[in-house]
Amino acid sequence: MTAAYDPNNIFAKILRGEIPSHKVYEDDKILAFMDVMPQSNGHCLVVPKTPARNLLDASVEQLTDLMPVVQKIAKAAVKAFEADGAVIMQFNEAPAGQTVFHLHFHVVPRYEGVPMRPHEGGMADGAILAANAAKLRVALA
Ligand code: AMP
């Protein structure tokens, strides 16, 4: 059985504005921001503003709201970073690789011949994340 949603997870804190993030997209239901440990240049995350641990307890409505934004961000990321493709990832519970227990979709731009860095590989420079967020916002406009 899936554990209960913990409102003190780091993405809930980002959603409440308690900790900073490099935002790329926001509407009344969804927020997208840069991943601080990017697996490729331009890696970002798309989350619902309402609570869900992951796909296993998400509502159909949350998923219905999320997926068009995931597609929009993926298309914008490919354009903004001149990527050759994009991986969409989503992990459910710790044994499956989940480390933050608020539903999120990873959008990871991919570049021909460039391997993906490991999950939770290392913190990116804040200035690079800020510049990439700005590039993505321009591509989304
Ligand atoms: P997952 O393993 O699917 O739960 O992925 C969680 C992701 O959140 C990882 O890729 C982390 O690099 C990323 N992450 C952790 N803390 C933050 C943060 N404060 N802001 C942005 N991304 C974060």
Side-chain angles (χ1 to χ4, degrees):
M1 186 178 144
T2 308
Y5 179 81
D6 173 6
N8 287 319
N9 73 76
I10 202 145
F11 294 169
K13 290 180 182 175
I14 287 174
L15 286 165
R16 290 195 296 266
E18 292 168 9
I19 62 166
S21 66
H22 296 283
K23 291 182 186 176
V24 301
Y25 173 89
E26 183 164 19
D27 65 28
D28 57 336
K29 293 175 175 166
I30 310 289
L31 180 68
F33 52 93
M34 302 312 293
D35 193 305
V36 290
M37 288 176 264
Q39 291 184 250
S40 78
N41 193 44
H43 181 172
C44 59
L45 302 166
V46 186
V47 311
K49 289 188 171 177
T50 48
R53 254 177 94 78
N54 53 43
L55 196 77
L56 303 177
D57 66 337
S59 67
V60 169
E61 194 183 1
Q62 284 173 311
L63 299 175
T64 304
D65 292 336
L66 271 166
M67 287 318 291
V69 179
V70 171
Q71 184 192 33
K72 194 190 297 231
I73 304 279
K75 288 169 91 169
V78 166
K79 182 175 154 196
F81 304 110
E82 297 180 3
D84 301 304
V87 173
I88 307 303
M89 302 188 297
Q90 191 279 317
F91 304 120
N92 300 286
E93 298 302 325
Q98 187 176 11
T99 59
V100 178
F101 297 94
H102 180 106
L103 174 63
H104 53 281
F105 284 83
H106 297 255
V107 176
V108 188
R110 295 300 310 274
Y111 308 89
E112 190 67 47
V114 179
M116 211 156 98
R117 293 193 287 270
H119 195 46
E120 305 253 286
M123 290 287 282
D125 187 312
I128 292 174
L129 293 177
N132 282 349
K135 274 190 196 170
L136 259 174
R137 289 194 299 268
V138 169
L140 282 162

